[in-house]
Amino acid sequence: MEFEEFARAETPRLLGLAYALTGNPHDAWDLTQEAMVRVGLRWRRLAAQNPGGYARTVVVRLNIDRARRRRREVLTDRSPDRAVPVDVIDELPAWLVEALAELTPQQRAAVVLRALEDLDHATIAARLGCSTGTARSHLSRGLARLRERAPEEV
Amino acid sequence: MKEMDQMDEEWQQALRGGELRATGDAVGLIAAEVRRRRHRRRAVATAGVAGVAATALVAAVLSSGPEQRRAADPVAAPDPGDVLFSCADSAVDDSSLNLPDDVREQWEADLEAIEETTFSGFAVKHATVTGLGVIVLVTGDVDAAREVLEGDYDAVVVHGWDASGPSVGLDEDGQTSVVGQWTLEPAKKAALRVTREVRGFAGLAYWDSAGAILLQWKEPVPAQVQALESLTFAEGGRIVVKGVPYSLKEAGAAMNRVQQAMQSGQIAGRWTMSSPCNDGTGIEIGIDPSSLGDRRAELQEELAQIAGMPVMVVPEEPAVALMMPGGG
């Protein structure tokens, strides 16, 4: 399979994951593009392995990194209306985006990976780059906090 | 599984229902960016082969003191939204590399240059930028790989790829992590040595993303312990000392007091587990959810009085129940 063929097939799935992680289409596109570019740069080696898994891991880790940086930085040069090559087909409900935004990036990633991809603790740990115990803790606390913050919906 | 069984189906459906669609030129934009970076990367690799200043820069950074290399606090800042006391999720923040940006960028350039090159006598199976530098797993002549790569780049650790690793759950990332921890062994031994001589040990953790061993010590940290931060190790790695409010021994005594109080019936609720907080700020007590109800805040306060330090109460099924089929 050529990289562009892979990108065409995998981008929709990656966008879905990135949208759930970030809650907005602009950041979702940024994450998806960066992850696909990293796969593209390593295509010769990844093609025979699991490029989709690699791309999804990159999306998850980049999002955590992005969230950490944002906590420390005041972003003033970012236009929420800038054009990105994605259309919103089905919007995430506002209450859900707000509830997810209350979680730490790791908790949010753990919850999303469990809900969207039905991953077990060990695989979530691999995606997050942490131990299984820590992943279990992120998932458990993330779910608990979701219930606390949005009791009427969750 | 277990957790998701308790979640409202509507919530999951809503999350799964969000959908974005890439428009026509999305893949073209990605491919163009890949080409642009390949071009830039070739320029970086050429500069690396020619010589030069790049590696000297890394050497200068690596030889600088721990204060200069430290980039982030090992424990993520507490969430201001939390009202109740809460332990940190982990002793260290490994969510991304804790390196100065210039160091990280240099190591990423080294990684890309290594990945682009075809070597004689060995092949690169996997290479990753870590807190210790670029860890490279190779097949073929490992000694030759060490001579070439560790000679050409200042922050590269070379190790042989274990082909049997994946069959026991050690894929590329797993083997990279193991190599990183082997590299940190001398630092870990030096950190543990002092625990036999000085009182106040609170915990020790591999801090992979910073290429360090984190040593937690009860505050005020004695000078003899603080001095460990100035040690350097031929293999790489360093020790980061962090002062915390409570020693491991104090946390152990507090856990005993709480367990006894709960098991004697002094406090209502079914105790299921005790653990020191990862960040040395208190203890974590598990209570059977069926006996906890909505008393978490109240219980945390009562138990903190008994413990003599902050207590985080978490709903935790008894261990036996967790081992039952379907118990998560």
Side-chain angles (χ1 to χ4, degrees), chain B residues 7 21 48 68 70 96 98 165 190 220 248 260 272 276 305 314 323:
Chain B
M7 290 178 64
R21 183 174 58 197
Q68 286 162 283
R70 187 176 305 156
S96 65
N98 288 286
L248 203 55
Q260 282 165 12
T272 54
Q305 295 291 327
V314 293
M323 291 164 66

Side-chain angles (χ1 to χ4, degrees), chain A residues 74-135:
Chain A
V74 178
L75 297 178
T76 54
D77 58 347
R78 195 176 175 80
S79 164
D81 296 319
R82 71 201 157 88
V84 291
V86 294
D87 290 332
V88 180
I89 305 301
D90 283 305
E91 204 167 352
L92 287 171
W95 62 263
L96 180 55
V97 172
E98 285 168 16
L100 288 168
E102 294 288 314
L103 308 185
T104 67
Q106 292 91 343
Q107 289 169 351
R108 181 173 183 149
V111 168
V112 166
L113 288 171
R114 174 58 67 82
L116 281 193
E117 303 202 16
D118 198 28
L119 300 183
D120 60 21
H121 291 120
T123 315
I124 291 173
R127 291 275 167 85
L128 292 176
C130 63
S131 70
T132 304
T134 301

